[in-house]
Amino acid sequence: RDVEHRQIIVRAAQSRLLEAQAKAAFVGGFARYLRARCCVLPGCSRGDPKVYRYSAYRVPLEMSMPFLYTEDDLNHLELAISRDRMDRYMRMAGGDRKKAMKFYEMNNAISESFLGVIRGLEVALRNSYHRALTAGARGRPEWYNHFNYQMRALEQNSVQQAKDKIKTRKQSETAGRVISLLGMGFWCGLTGRHYDACLWVPYLNTAFPHRRHLGRQDALDRMEYIRDIRNRIAHHESILHLNLAKEHH
């Protein structure tokens, strides 16, 4: 069993190497395919990126990674990945295991391309919120202490956990370190209805300088949706069924 486990690990590593080599060409080809094949909702122009619909089931499989697995490889991979996780891809492939594995590889490549964009957005968002709340706290970067009494227990606990982690690392507590440890859920929480009057109206609405008239609920909905996609990717779930053409824009 140990030998079989090592074989699975080696094959998985080989697969990832091949995937990395092919990823750049694949993602570029996939983007061109989306632009050429996405459907447009009735009554809307093709130039509007917000109206595209996309079905992953129409993606041609020849665009996916070169298929190099034998039937024995498929058995090992199915064991490693689990049948439950492969079930969605099997349905997409009509029960064809080779096609299902191609869909699985396709999902990995697309997820990685989205993750880089989402990470950058998350960093930019938290820094923008940090600047807005620092200004609201009269220039004090430790605004989470200044506004502590206005925060719900959930957000207070997030801040305290960040401070405890810094202490565990035996580092000095700075605003930058605290902010870097606060996840997307925290920033979504600060955009919630509870903070409309005390944080959003006076401070946080300025965190979106290019969308001055962005409403709190609209901002929250977009943030929550991005967070959901990020979590799906982090948990290795399929995103092929989502409206990828629209979400990429």
Side-chain angles (χ1 to χ4, degrees), residues 50-67:
K50 295 180 292 185
V51 302
Y52 286 117
R53 288 183 302 180
Y54 164 65
S55 171
Y57 297 88
R58 296 202 308 273
V59 176
L61 290 180
E62 60 270 17
M63 289 181 56
S64 61
M65 308 304 174
F67 193 81

Side-chain angles (χ1 to χ4, degrees), residues 34-180:
L34 286 181
R35 287 195 293 269
R37 296 292 298 277
C38 285
C39 298
V40 183
L41 295 176
C44 298
S45 64
R46 178 170 288 277
D48 185 355
K50 295 180 292 185
V51 302
Y52 286 117
R53 288 183 302 180
Y54 164 65
S55 171
Y57 297 88
R58 296 202 308 273
V59 176
L61 290 180
E62 60 270 17
M63 289 181 56
S64 61
M65 308 304 174
F67 193 81
L68 302 174
Y69 302 124
T70 65
E71 287 297 321
D72 189 48
D73 291 332
L74 286 173
N75 292 332
H76 288 299
L77 286 167
E78 188 176 80
L79 178 64
I81 297 170
S82 85
R83 290 186 178 180
D84 287 342
R85 188 170 295 277
M86 288 299 299
D87 184 60
R88 176 186 289 274
Y89 304 102
M90 286 291 287
R91 293 197 304 270
M92 293 170 62
D96 186 317
R97 290 206 301 171
K98 290 185 177 182
K99 288 183 179 180
M101 189 56 65
K102 286 188 176 185
F103 276 124
Y104 182 79
E105 291 178 341
M106 181 185 294
N107 186 73
N108 286 343
I110 297 173
S111 293
E112 289 178 13
S113 68
F114 268 85
L115 193 57
V117 175
I118 292 174
R119 284 173 176 168
L121 184 147
E122 188 170 348
V123 170
L125 176 68
R126 77 186 184 202
N127 287 339
S128 189
Y129 267 42
H130 178 51
R131 287 191 296 271
L133 291 171
T134 295
R138 300 176 183 176
R140 285 176 283 187
E142 298 83 6
W143 51 264
Y144 41 83
N145 294 330
H146 179 80
F147 293 116
N148 182 266
Y149 72 98
Q150 294 176 308
M151 289 187 186
R152 299 177 303 176
L154 183 63
E155 282 73 47
Q156 289 177 343
N157 290 338
S158 295
V159 172
Q160 189 57 51
Q161 288 172 8
K163 292 180 177 181
D164 292 343
K165 186 173 290 187
I166 294 170
K167 186 177 180 180
T168 300
R169 294 174 178 176
K170 297 182 180 180
Q171 297 175 325
S172 58
E173 182 184 309
T174 65
R177 285 177 176 149
V178 172
I179 297 304
S180 69

